[in-house]
Amino acid sequence: MKLTRALAVVAGGALTVGLLAACAPSGSNSDTVLRIGASATIDSLNPFVSSSDYSSVVYEYSYPHLSQYDTTDMSLQPSFATKWQTSADGLTWTFDTVKNAKWSDGKPLTAQDAAFTMSMILKYQKGPTGQLAGFVNNMTSAVAVDDSTLKVTYSKPVSNVLAQMTQLPILPEHIWSKLATGDGKQISSFQNGAPMVSGGPFEMTQYKKDQLALFDRNPNWWGSTKPKITGFGLQFFANDDAMVTALKTGQVDMIGESTPATAVSALKKAGMEVGTTPSVGFYDFIINTNPKKKSHHELLNPKVREAFEYAMDRSEIVKTAWLGMATPGSTIVAPATGWHDDSIRGLPFDLSKANAILDGLGYAKGSDGIRVADGQPMSYQVIFPTEINGAGDRMFQIIQNGLKQVGVKLTMRKMDTDAATTAINGANNTYQDFDLAMWDWIPPVDPDFQLSVLTCAQWGNNNDSGYCNPAYDKLYDAQGVAPTKEDRQKIIDQMQQIAFDDRPYIVLAYQDVIEAHSPKWTGFLISPLVGSVNNLSTQTLLQVHRTK
């Protein structure tokens, strides 16, 4: 999955009621179309600028990927690549791809499309394709030997090639080649839309921003397993209550990982099937660590950030915001990934220690109870994207109350995802204006992407904290070429420790995947990959079907 975050919805639930039923994919009936409700929407259909989880879901089902995860055991399996082999020195990977495949518009789908996509990313990685550049780290060339053979060459043996390929959508060269000219600026400005040329099991046929996206089964799908459904639809709701009501009243058939914990009991009583499993995602409290930030330089002091963590009651967050369907956070790599360092524990909730640290720094409380640091009250606005409403609101209230007790005032500043990203990045992506934020990450299983977020190279792309540490970056490069899994784990553990100690993020909780569906449907494969309908595997939507 691309990383990803989901854009908050502006469409009202009442506006979208029944839209999926009224706009079923052509040539189908409602019994063969899966209607999916979501409280977060698609922010773009261009993979070089989107940051939404559901944008990445679109790419998973619309574009080929060389490999994908098996949701039953998290193993890496062939997809558009039928098999692969590596050279003895580990520098060359040769992929055999599906023969005689076609795009949905009838054009040939070949290894050349994969070679073109990778070459385009390499060429413009310092500019418009930078957001996906991490997936081609150390790659020097990608060449189609023939229509069904792709040769990819690296400057160093890369330890996670197959995991990277699960996240790299293969784009149709006949569409994108006209954009990959000159400085490439057209790549990032391309308004991809429906109907969208597809090389996956489904093709997007309709799209109404912030309302719905509809998909037909792709008649040219090259996969050996054909979807049992004729199509699916995504319907976006303005809030969780409207989404949950839509499931209970039969307006949608399932809601994905965004199912609120507070609705689980009511959904079960209504006869819905509800499943939970640990997730690769986490919620984080973001602290701007850019030394050039314009104000509140006390936040650059690691002791201040340590005091903040002592004032955050993770146990209460898990109990109240998640009703027990989460675990307390610690590092930027979730336990469900299999790469988590269990030896790193989040600091305990301890107001006395938090107060002692801030007292020791000389930040005395004013008459209003708010501490003063370097002549400024320790009063901060917290950027809060509306996509994390609900559980996020409850988490914020707990954090706000804890910090208030140590003389720090937080004020929520709600905004949609685009506005939140703009506010965090600041003018020219200099990260000079914001102080604090809250958000969540739902990264891939392989930790490379999540580790990359805190690198200097991701300023202006995925970096959301202004963090830049050359020592951390050096380790990031090293983990990507570690010769064994054990060697890589040691490096990743070091990176987790650095991020924990430096605290550009305070990881609050690892939320469970919670999804619900009507008992009239079966075949869902819930997994740490953000549930059944995700952006790293096509399995669920190939096998899901009605039972009655």
Side-chain angles (χ1 to χ4, degrees), residues 366-380:
S367 58
D368 57 359
I370 306 302
R371 293 180 185 272
V372 176
D374 302 324
Q376 285 186 299
M378 295 183 72
S379 178
Y380 313 98

Side-chain angles (χ1 to χ4, degrees), residues 64-77:
H65 295 71
L66 292 179
S67 58
Q68 70 170 348
Y69 281 95
D70 185 326
T71 55
T72 60
D73 62 7
M74 295 297 100
S75 61
L76 290 161
Q77 300 293 327

Side-chain angles (χ1 to χ4, degrees), residues 235-532:
Q235 182 168 337
F236 304 113
F237 292 86
N239 56 68
D240 289 344
D241 289 341
M243 179 178 64
V244 169
T245 297
L247 177 61
K248 290 196 291 186
T249 57
Q251 295 164 21
V252 298
D253 304 305
M254 70 95 68
I255 52 180
E257 50 80 28
S258 55
T259 303
T262 52
V264 168
S265 178
L267 285 170
K268 287 181 177 179
K269 287 181 180 178
M272 299 297 115
E273 301 284 343
V274 181
T276 64
T277 192
S279 167
V280 295
F282 62 87
Y283 275 71
D284 55 334
F285 189 85
I286 306 167
I287 304 174
N288 188 346
T289 53
N290 177 15
K292 295 184 179 180
K293 69 190 299 290
K294 293 178 181 177
S295 63
H296 287 298
H297 289 173
E298 71 275 5
L299 294 175
L300 301 176
N301 187 333
K303 296 301 292 182
V304 171
R305 302 198 289 270
E306 180 183 352
F308 278 22
E309 183 173 353
Y310 274 122
M312 296 183 184
D313 191 345
R314 289 184 174 96
S315 295
E316 186 64 25
I317 284 172
V318 169
K319 176 184 176 182
T320 302
W322 292 98
L323 303 182
M325 285 172 273
T327 56
S330 56
T331 86
I332 60 173
V333 179
T337 66
W339 294 90
H340 177 73
D341 186 347
D342 293 334
S343 70
I344 301 175
R345 303 292 179 88
L347 299 182
F349 178 56
D350 193 326
L351 294 177
S352 62
K353 285 188 177 180
N355 273 308
I357 290 172
L358 297 176
D359 287 343
L361 292 171
Y363 301 152
K365 293 181 180 179
S367 58
D368 57 359
I370 306 302
R371 293 180 185 272
V372 176
D374 302 324
Q376 285 186 299
M378 295 183 72
S379 178
Y380 313 98
Q381 287 193 334
V382 180
I383 295 170
F384 186 100
T386 50
E387 72 174 20
I388 62 170
N389 284 348
D393 288 304
R394 293 184 287 276
M395 294 169 75
F396 177 84
Q397 291 165 4
I398 293 166
I399 294 167
Q400 183 184 46
N401 181 60
L403 283 167
K404 181 180 179 181
Q405 294 181 68
V406 299
V408 176
K409 181 180 179 180
L410 302 183
T411 303
M412 182 186 289
R413 183 186 174 194
K414 279 200 177 187
M415 55 184 71
D416 68 30
T417 300
D418 286 341
T421 299
T422 298
I424 287 172
N425 289 0
N428 301 314
N429 299 318
T430 55
Y431 301 91
Q432 292 183 0
D433 299 319
F434 91 101
D435 293 312
L436 305 171
M438 272 185 67
W439 219 322
D440 67 336
W441 278 109
I442 307 173
V445 175
D446 188 273
D448 183 274
F449 172 81
Q450 193 59 61
L451 297 170
S452 77
V453 167
L454 294 179
T455 61
C456 308
Q458 281 300 312
W459 270 41
N461 289 307
N462 294 312
N463 193 309
D464 59 357
S465 64
Y467 184 72
C468 181
N469 181 341
Y472 179 93
D473 286 7
K474 186 176 180 179
L475 289 171
Y476 172 72
D477 292 338
Q479 64 83 30
V481 295
T484 68
K485 186 179 186 297
E486 291 73 21
D487 291 332
R488 190 174 180 222
Q489 181 72 69
K490 290 177 182 177
I491 298 169
I492 291 172
D493 287 351
Q494 291 180 64
M495 297 179 73
Q496 292 179 73
Q497 188 68 58
I498 289 173
F500 178 80
D501 292 337
D502 288 354
R503 290 182 180 82
Y505 291 163
I506 297 174
V507 178
L508 302 169
Y510 305 116
Q511 71 275 22
D512 286 355
V513 174
I514 309 171
E515 68 175 34
H517 64 86
S518 164
K520 296 179 180 179
W521 288 82
T522 190
F524 299 95
L525 292 169
I526 189 170
S527 74
L529 304 176
V530 202
S532 298

Side-chain angles (χ1 to χ4, degrees), residues 16-25 28-30 33 35 212 214 233 235 250-253:
T16 57
V17 166
L19 282 177
L20 291 186
C23 303
S28 63
N29 61 68
S30 60
V33 177
R35 302 165 301 169
L212 58 80
L214 302 177
Q235 182 168 337
Q251 295 164 21
V252 298
D253 304 305

Side-chain angles (χ1 to χ4, degrees), residues 23-29 32-33 61-62 104 195-196 198 200-206 213-221 227 229-233:
C23 303
S26 58
S28 63
N29 61 68
T32 59
V33 177
Y61 295 103
S62 300
S104 59
M196 191 164 72
S198 171
F202 298 93
E203 57 179 325
M204 178 185 281
T205 55
Q206 293 187 54
L214 302 177
F215 300 80
D216 277 356
R217 191 161 53 192
N218 178 5
N220 290 329
W221 167 236
I229 55 176
T230 56
F232 72 96

Side-chain angles (χ1 to χ4, degrees), residues 27-261:
S28 63
N29 61 68
S30 60
D31 288 344
T32 59
V33 177
L34 179 67
R35 302 165 301 169
I36 304 169
S39 60
T41 188
I42 295 165
D43 63 342
S44 172
L45 295 173
N46 183 333
F48 298 107
V49 299
S50 62
S51 60
S52 161
D53 184 31
Y54 278 99
S55 292
S56 295
V57 167
V58 172
Y59 310 144
E60 180 64 29
Y61 295 103
S62 300
Y63 291 133
H65 295 71
L66 292 179
S67 58
Q68 70 170 348
Y69 281 95
D70 185 326
T71 55
T72 60
D73 62 7
M74 295 297 100
S75 61
L76 290 161
Q77 300 293 327
S79 187
F80 184 60
T82 58
K83 61 180 180 179
W84 44 76
Q85 61 183 15
T86 60
S87 59
D89 60 8
L91 298 179
T92 302
W93 284 67
T94 303
F95 297 89
D96 291 353
T97 62
V98 173
K99 295 181 178 179
N100 303 316
K102 293 181 180 180
W103 293 97
S104 59
D105 62 1
K107 300 288 185 181
L109 165 54
T110 71
Q112 176 55 37
D113 291 291
F116 162 77
T117 302
M118 296 174 192
S119 298
M120 177 174 65
I121 295 172
L122 283 171
K123 182 177 180 180
Y124 298 105
Q125 62 184 308
K126 300 296 184 182
T129 64
Q131 189 157 285
L132 301 189
F135 303 143
V136 296
N137 272 347
N138 298 299
M139 186 184 294
T140 57
S141 67
V143 178
V145 177
D146 54 43
D147 283 352
S148 58
T149 310
L150 172 70
K151 184 171 74 172
V152 182
T153 305
Y154 294 87
S155 59
K156 301 175 183 178
V158 173
S159 57
N160 61 336
V161 169
L162 295 179
Q164 299 289 55
M165 295 305 172
T166 66
Q167 304 163 72
L168 190 63
I170 297 171
L171 304 175
E173 181 178 13
H174 63 285
I175 301 295
W176 289 80
S177 59
K178 65 191 74 172
L179 308 172
T181 60
D183 60 10
K185 287 185 177 179
Q186 295 179 91
I187 295 170
S188 54
S189 63
F190 179 48
Q191 298 296 311
N192 206 6
M196 191 164 72
V197 174
S198 171
F202 298 93
E203 57 179 325
M204 178 185 281
T205 55
Q206 293 187 54
Y207 173 58
K208 296 182 180 180
K209 184 173 173 56
D210 300 328
Q211 296 183 46
L212 58 80
L214 302 177
F215 300 80
D216 277 356
R217 191 161 53 192
N218 178 5
N220 290 329
W221 167 236
W222 41 265
S224 58
T225 301
K226 307 302 179 185
K228 294 182 179 180
I229 55 176
T230 56
F232 72 96
L234 296 170
Q235 182 168 337
F236 304 113
F237 292 86
N239 56 68
D240 289 344
D241 289 341
M243 179 178 64
V244 169
T245 297
L247 177 61
K248 290 196 291 186
T249 57
Q251 295 164 21
V252 298
D253 304 305
M254 70 95 68
I255 52 180
E257 50 80 28
S258 55
T259 303

